[in-house]
Amino acid sequence: MAEPDERIPKHVAIIMDGNGRWAKQRNLPRTAGHREGVKSVRAVVEESVRRGVGTLTLFAFSSENWKRPRTEVNVLMELFISALRGEIRRLHENNVRFRVIGERSAFPEKLQHRVAQAEELTASNTALNLQIAANYGGRWDITEAARRLVADVQAGLLDPGDIDEQALTRRLSFPDLPEPDLFIRTGGEIRLSNFVLWQSAYSELFFSDALWPDFDEKAYALALDDYARRQRRFGMTGEQVKKRPLLAAYGR
């Protein structure tokens, strides 16, 4: 069996930033940028499948986004519902597994129902794991994992002395998937914005000036190609990495 190509990230996480500014530049309402951004999602998903990326996690709606104007939040919810209706069949036909990470109980029941249907329909697909982070925050994720640790200790399922990084990691949002190898943010901003904080401890960071609606397959390819040229050391020296396979060195 051939070794996986280490130049291709197993997991890409993206903050899709710049929809509002894209719309403002064109004298359009901010919601027009969100609608246009759906095309970029489609382009990035298709390029991920073509390149052999195993998991793609997109930051669609943070736990802080509830602070935005109510009209914009309502449009985002409706856009999410309509996108699920329009795209999930296409994803399924292309063997893409879909799921949502985040506190979904705050969403309208109609949206929760459509998410559950989409996850069930695509559960056995294997070409790509597409995760949408919605009402998600990295600190929320860590806090929820800590609560699960406490509950397991109180239930006698876990000894306090056994709590380590792996114990917490297993209680985060996607313990069954690899941590992000490549973390991309569009829109010219250079910050993490509370996205997959724990899981991105060793991620390679790539910041693009392109606003999300302009981030097409070519812009995404530039990020993937940049990643392919990097040497990932995980605390070792460059010479050590060259002397032994990265997979063995990182214990994967």
Side-chain angles (χ1 to χ4, degrees), residues 55-67:
T55 299
L56 176 66
T57 300
L58 303 177
F59 204 7
F61 190 88
S62 78
S63 49
E64 288 79 31
N65 286 156
W66 294 107
K67 302 173 186 176

PDB file of all heavy atoms in Angstrom, residues 55-67:
ATOM      1  N   THR A  55     -10.362  15.855   4.689  1.00  0.00           N
ATOM      2  CA  THR A  55     -11.344  16.564   5.514  1.00  0.00           C
ATOM      3  C   THR A  55     -11.240  18.060   5.260  1.00  0.00           C
ATOM      4  O   THR A  55     -10.141  18.611   5.177  1.00  0.00           O
ATOM      5  CB  THR A  55     -11.120  16.287   7.013  1.00  0.00           C
ATOM      6  OG1 THR A  55     -11.264  14.878   7.268  1.00  0.00           O
ATOM      7  CG2 THR A  55     -12.114  17.049   7.872  1.00  0.00           C
ATOM      8  N   LEU A  56     -12.391  18.703   5.127  1.00  0.00           N
ATOM      9  CA  LEU A  56     -12.471  20.149   4.942  1.00  0.00           C
ATOM     10  C   LEU A  56     -13.442  20.699   5.973  1.00  0.00           C
ATOM     11  O   LEU A  56     -14.604  20.294   6.023  1.00  0.00           O
ATOM     12  CB  LEU A  56     -12.956  20.470   3.530  1.00  0.00           C
ATOM     13  CG  LEU A  56     -13.196  21.948   3.191  1.00  0.00           C
ATOM     14  CD1 LEU A  56     -11.887  22.730   3.217  1.00  0.00           C
ATOM     15  CD2 LEU A  56     -13.880  22.069   1.835  1.00  0.00           C
ATOM     16  N   THR A  57     -12.968  21.613   6.820  1.00  0.00           N
ATOM     17  CA  THR A  57     -13.828  22.225   7.832  1.00  0.00           C
ATOM     18  C   THR A  57     -13.948  23.715   7.543  1.00  0.00           C
ATOM     19  O   THR A  57     -12.943  24.428   7.475  1.00  0.00           O
ATOM     20  CB  THR A  57     -13.259  22.018   9.249  1.00  0.00           C
ATOM     21  OG1 THR A  57     -13.164  20.612   9.515  1.00  0.00           O
ATOM     22  CG2 THR A  57     -14.159  22.654  10.296  1.00  0.00           C
ATOM     23  N   LEU A  58     -15.174  24.190   7.353  1.00  0.00           N
ATOM     24  CA  LEU A  58     -15.444  25.578   6.994  1.00  0.00           C
ATOM     25  C   LEU A  58     -16.149  26.291   8.142  1.00  0.00           C
ATOM     26  O   LEU A  58     -17.152  25.797   8.663  1.00  0.00           O
ATOM     27  CB  LEU A  58     -16.311  25.635   5.732  1.00  0.00           C
ATOM     28  CG  LEU A  58     -15.754  24.922   4.493  1.00  0.00           C
ATOM     29  CD1 LEU A  58     -16.764  25.004   3.348  1.00  0.00           C
ATOM     30  CD2 LEU A  58     -14.418  25.522   4.075  1.00  0.00           C
ATOM     31  N   PHE A  59     -15.627  27.446   8.520  1.00  0.00           N
ATOM     32  CA  PHE A  59     -16.207  28.240   9.604  1.00  0.00           C
ATOM     33  C   PHE A  59     -17.314  29.106   9.021  1.00  0.00           C
ATOM     34  O   PHE A  59     -17.057  30.143   8.410  1.00  0.00           O
ATOM     35  CB  PHE A  59     -15.120  29.105  10.236  1.00  0.00           C
ATOM     36  CG  PHE A  59     -15.387  29.519  11.652  1.00  0.00           C
ATOM     37  CD1 PHE A  59     -16.466  29.020  12.369  1.00  0.00           C
ATOM     38  CD2 PHE A  59     -14.534  30.406  12.292  1.00  0.00           C
ATOM     39  CE1 PHE A  59     -16.697  29.394  13.689  1.00  0.00           C
ATOM     40  CE2 PHE A  59     -14.745  30.796  13.606  1.00  0.00           C
ATOM     41  CZ  PHE A  59     -15.830  30.287  14.308  1.00  0.00           C
ATOM     42  N   ALA A  60     -18.551  28.675   9.188  1.00  0.00           N
ATOM     43  CA  ALA A  60     -19.688  29.348   8.568  1.00  0.00           C
ATOM     44  C   ALA A  60     -20.338  30.379   9.483  1.00  0.00           C
ATOM     45  O   ALA A  60     -20.805  31.424   9.018  1.00  0.00           O
ATOM     46  CB  ALA A  60     -20.727  28.318   8.138  1.00  0.00           C
ATOM     47  N   PHE A  61     -20.392  30.070  10.781  1.00  0.00           N
ATOM     48  CA  PHE A  61     -21.120  30.945  11.705  1.00  0.00           C
ATOM     49  C   PHE A  61     -20.560  30.715  13.096  1.00  0.00           C
ATOM     50  O   PHE A  61     -20.676  29.625  13.649  1.00  0.00           O
ATOM     51  CB  PHE A  61     -22.618  30.623  11.668  1.00  0.00           C
ATOM     52  CG  PHE A  61     -23.489  31.608  12.405  1.00  0.00           C
ATOM     53  CD1 PHE A  61     -23.971  32.740  11.762  1.00  0.00           C
ATOM     54  CD2 PHE A  61     -23.829  31.402  13.725  1.00  0.00           C
ATOM     55  CE1 PHE A  61     -24.773  33.659  12.438  1.00  0.00           C
ATOM     56  CE2 PHE A  61     -24.634  32.303  14.411  1.00  0.00           C
ATOM     57  CZ  PHE A  61     -25.112  33.436  13.763  1.00  0.00           C
ATOM     58  N   SER A  62     -19.917  31.738  13.654  1.00  0.00           N
ATOM     59  CA  SER A  62     -19.304  31.584  14.971  1.00  0.00           C
ATOM     60  C   SER A  62     -20.323  31.857  16.071  1.00  0.00           C
ATOM     61  O   SER A  62     -21.382  32.451  15.831  1.00  0.00           O
ATOM     62  CB  SER A  62     -18.115  32.533  15.115  1.00  0.00           C
ATOM     63  OG  SER A  62     -18.552  33.848  15.390  1.00  0.00           O
ATOM     64  N   SER A  63     -19.970  31.452  17.277  1.00  0.00           N
ATOM     65  CA  SER A  63     -20.851  31.716  18.414  1.00  0.00           C
ATOM     66  C   SER A  63     -20.937  33.208  18.702  1.00  0.00           C
ATOM     67  O   SER A  63     -21.859  33.657  19.392  1.00  0.00           O
ATOM     68  CB  SER A  63     -20.336  30.959  19.651  1.00  0.00           C
ATOM     69  OG  SER A  63     -18.953  31.171  19.853  1.00  0.00           O
ATOM     70  N   GLU A  64     -19.991  34.007  18.165  1.00  0.00           N
ATOM     71  CA  GLU A  64     -20.028  35.460  18.338  1.00  0.00           C
ATOM     72  C   GLU A  64     -20.884  36.147  17.269  1.00  0.00           C
ATOM     73  O   GLU A  64     -21.235  37.329  17.415  1.00  0.00           O
ATOM     74  CB  GLU A  64     -18.605  36.032  18.288  1.00  0.00           C
ATOM     75  CG  GLU A  64     -17.750  35.729  19.516  1.00  0.00           C
ATOM     76  CD  GLU A  64     -17.187  34.326  19.487  1.00  0.00           C
ATOM     77  OE1 GLU A  64     -16.938  33.800  18.384  1.00  0.00           O
ATOM     78  OE2 GLU A  64     -16.992  33.748  20.583  1.00  0.00           O
ATOM     79  N   ASN A  65     -21.203  35.448  16.183  1.00  0.00           N
ATOM     80  CA  ASN A  65     -21.939  36.074  15.082  1.00  0.00           C
ATOM     81  C   ASN A  65     -23.383  36.421  15.432  1.00  0.00           C
ATOM     82  O   ASN A  65     -24.040  37.162  14.684  1.00  0.00           O
ATOM     83  CB  ASN A  65     -21.920  35.182  13.845  1.00  0.00           C
ATOM     84  CG  ASN A  65     -20.591  35.172  13.126  1.00  0.00           C
ATOM     85  OD1 ASN A  65     -20.246  34.229  12.418  1.00  0.00           O
ATOM     86  ND2 ASN A  65     -19.802  36.221  13.306  1.00  0.00           N
ATOM     87  N   TRP A  66     -23.881  35.906  16.565  1.00  0.00           N
ATOM     88  CA  TRP A  66     -25.231  36.278  16.982  1.00  0.00           C
ATOM     89  C   TRP A  66     -25.318  37.768  17.293  1.00  0.00           C
ATOM     90  O   TRP A  66     -26.415  38.344  17.348  1.00  0.00           O
ATOM     91  CB  TRP A  66     -25.647  35.482  18.217  1.00  0.00           C
ATOM     92  CG  TRP A  66     -25.799  34.012  17.987  1.00  0.00           C
ATOM     93  CD1 TRP A  66     -24.960  33.032  18.416  1.00  0.00           C
ATOM     94  CD2 TRP A  66     -26.844  33.349  17.277  1.00  0.00           C
ATOM     95  NE1 TRP A  66     -25.406  31.799  18.002  1.00  0.00           N
ATOM     96  CE2 TRP A  66     -26.565  31.960  17.307  1.00  0.00           C
ATOM     97  CE3 TRP A  66     -27.990  33.794  16.598  1.00  0.00           C
ATOM     98  CZ2 TRP A  66     -27.396  31.019  16.699  1.00  0.00           C
ATOM     99  CZ3 TRP A  66     -28.819  32.854  15.989  1.00  0.00           C
ATOM    100  CH2 TRP A  66     -28.516  31.486  16.046  1.00  0.00           C
ATOM    101  N   LYS A  67     -24.162  38.421  17.482  1.00  0.00           N
ATOM    102  CA  LYS A  67     -24.146  39.856  17.796  1.00  0.00           C
ATOM    103  C   LYS A  67     -24.431  40.710  16.559  1.00  0.00           C
ATOM    104  O   LYS A  67     -24.639  41.921  16.682  1.00  0.00           O
ATOM    105  CB  LYS A  67     -22.780  40.251  18.367  1.00  0.00           C
ATOM    106  CG  LYS A  67     -22.377  39.485  19.628  1.00  0.00           C
ATOM    107  CD  LYS A  67     -20.942  39.811  20.017  1.00  0.00           C
ATOM    108  CE  LYS A  67     -20.478  38.944  21.180  1.00  0.00           C
ATOM    109  NZ  LYS A  67     -19.047  39.186  21.504  1.00  0.00           N
TER     110      LYS A  67
END
